[in-house]
Amino acid sequence: MKKRVMIIAGPCAVESREQIIRIAKKLKELGVDALRGGVFKPRTNPDSFQGLGDEGIKYLIEAKEITGLPIVTELMSIEQVRRYADKIDIIQIGARNMYNYELLKELSIYNKPVLLKRGLSATYDEWLNASKYITNGINKRVILCERGIRGFDNSTRNVLDIQAIPYIKKNTNLPIFVDPSHASGNSYMIYPNSVAAVAAGCDGLIIEVHDKPDEALSDKEQAITPDELAKIIRDVRKIESILKENEEL
Ligand code: PEP
Ligand code: MN
């Protein structure tokens, strides 16, 4: 039987101790399963906010201690993995690093879940081969994450490839998560993308949430509020129960 859809939520970036702890407490109340927050940020523009780095990890760990929420954050180098693999609960490998095979090989030696984002224009084959760089070692705990692929229309940030969900389900034994935030880049699209992804059978969602989206230091256009997340969680649970009834038929 299918497990409950996992909800990972949190700001694009950890911006301050106060910000991440405040948001983590709100998310805990909503019943999310894990807290996300970027501290090493792979920004397209080198002059944009790059994240708090080591200081940010400290705040994220503090947010975990206070709320009990497991933490998810992106690591971008072998050195960061060596330093932090045992301190965080799920290591996120960003779309820009899906082809960084040396980094993936390093992850293969840990027994630690890795959320492997699909590359910006990666084919399914390239993505699955990237996952094998990790699972060829002792680490079998890869979670694939569809986060939108490059399309031809720049009205939205990317295009959410819903078909990735049934494709990954049919062709692998790995869980498939969806990131509706980077897929669309627009806060009003997070609800429809999330419910569509769950209806299509995804195993989890990772969603950017900020309690003051207008003040977010990165990706503010796609940030939703905790209230909006609450509606998504409510409807995700409804869809899951319909899927479960169908399974039982
Ligand atoms: C992120 O999740 O903050 C992020 C940068 O995602 P992606 O690697 O999918 O662009
Ligand atoms: Mn982001």
Side-chain angles (χ1 to χ4, degrees):
M1 204 173 64
K2 199 170 177 305
K3 283 204 209 119
R4 189 171 151 277
V5 170
M6 178 173 177
I7 309 283
I8 304 173
C12 178
V14 175
E15 299 167 0
S16 68
R17 178 179 178 278
E18 199 264 323
Q19 173 249 20
I20 192 67
I21 292 173
R22 191 181 69 227
I23 295 176
K25 285 182 179 163
K26 295 195 169 147
L27 295 174
K28 174 74 182 179
E29 274 173 31
L30 299 183
V32 311
D33 299 292
L35 173 69
R36 66 150 285 150
V39 303
F40 303 107
K41 297 300 303 171
R43 304 306 299 284
T44 301
N45 183 339
D47 298 325
S48 306
F49 174 58
Q50 299 288 308
L52 295 181
D54 304 297
E55 192 193 340
I57 293 260
K58 261 193 345 213
Y59 302 151
L60 208 47
I61 292 171
E62 220 181 313
K64 173 181 170 166
E65 284 164 0
I66 293 171
T67 59
L69 287 173
I71 48 179
V72 184
T73 201
E74 175 167 357
L75 298 179
M76 297 204 296
S77 69
I78 293 176
E79 194 241 325
Q80 288 166 6
V81 172
R82 290 188 181 150
R83 200 147 24 116
Y84 294 121
D86 61 341
K87 296 197 171 60
I88 57 187
D89 298 288
I90 302 179
I91 299 173
Q92 179 177 322
I93 295 300
R96 291 158 192 79
N97 268 320
M98 190 207 83
Y99 294 105
N100 186 342
Y101 300 130
E102 289 304 313
L103 179 60
L104 302 180
K105 278 193 244 171
E106 175 68 18
L107 294 161
S108 75
I109 65 174
Y110 299 82
N111 179 23
K112 177 68 69 174
V114 176
L115 184 84
L116 180 64
K117 297 262 194 125
R118 182 179 183 183
L120 306 174
S121 303
T123 63
Y124 296 146
D125 192 49
E126 288 167 335
W127 189 17
L128 294 183
N129 273 310
S131 75
K132 286 183 196 151
Y133 273 95
I134 306 171
T135 57
N136 277 352
I138 60 155
N139 195 351
K140 309 297 179 198
R141 303 170 77 184
V142 173
I143 301 163
L144 296 168
C145 181
E146 160 62 34
R147 45 78 71 202
I149 47 174
R150 286 222 156 125
F152 55 83
D153 187 336
N154 58 13
S155 318
T156 60
R157 188 169 180 176
N158 289 297
V159 179
L160 176 59
D161 179 12
I162 286 281
Q163 295 178 157
I165 302 162
Y167 183 89
I168 296 298
K169 289 259 152 236
K170 181 167 168 30
N171 293 290
T172 78
N173 293 317
L174 299 171
I176 170 80
F177 280 32
V178 168
D179 171 348
S181 307
H182 294 87
S184 69
N186 290 300
S187 58
Y188 74 94
M189 291 184 177
I190 309 304
Y191 175 90
N193 278 350
S194 300
V195 292
V198 172
C202 74
D203 300 294
L205 294 169
I206 175 164
I207 304 180
E208 288 190 348
V209 178
H210 201 295
D211 59 347
K212 298 174 187 172
D214 294 344
E215 294 174 21
L217 295 183
S218 60
D219 285 350
K220 62 159 106 170
E221 309 76 19
Q222 67 196 36
I224 59 166
T225 61
D227 282 350
E228 289 170 302
L229 180 69
K231 289 194 191 117
I232 291 175
I233 295 176
R234 182 196 63 197
D235 291 354
V236 161
R237 299 297 173 225
K238 286 187 200 156
I239 294 166
E240 279 187 284
S241 62
I242 295 171
L243 294 178
K244 201 163 153 238
E245 276 168 31
N246 290 349
E247 240 178 39
E248 283 159 8
L249 286 180

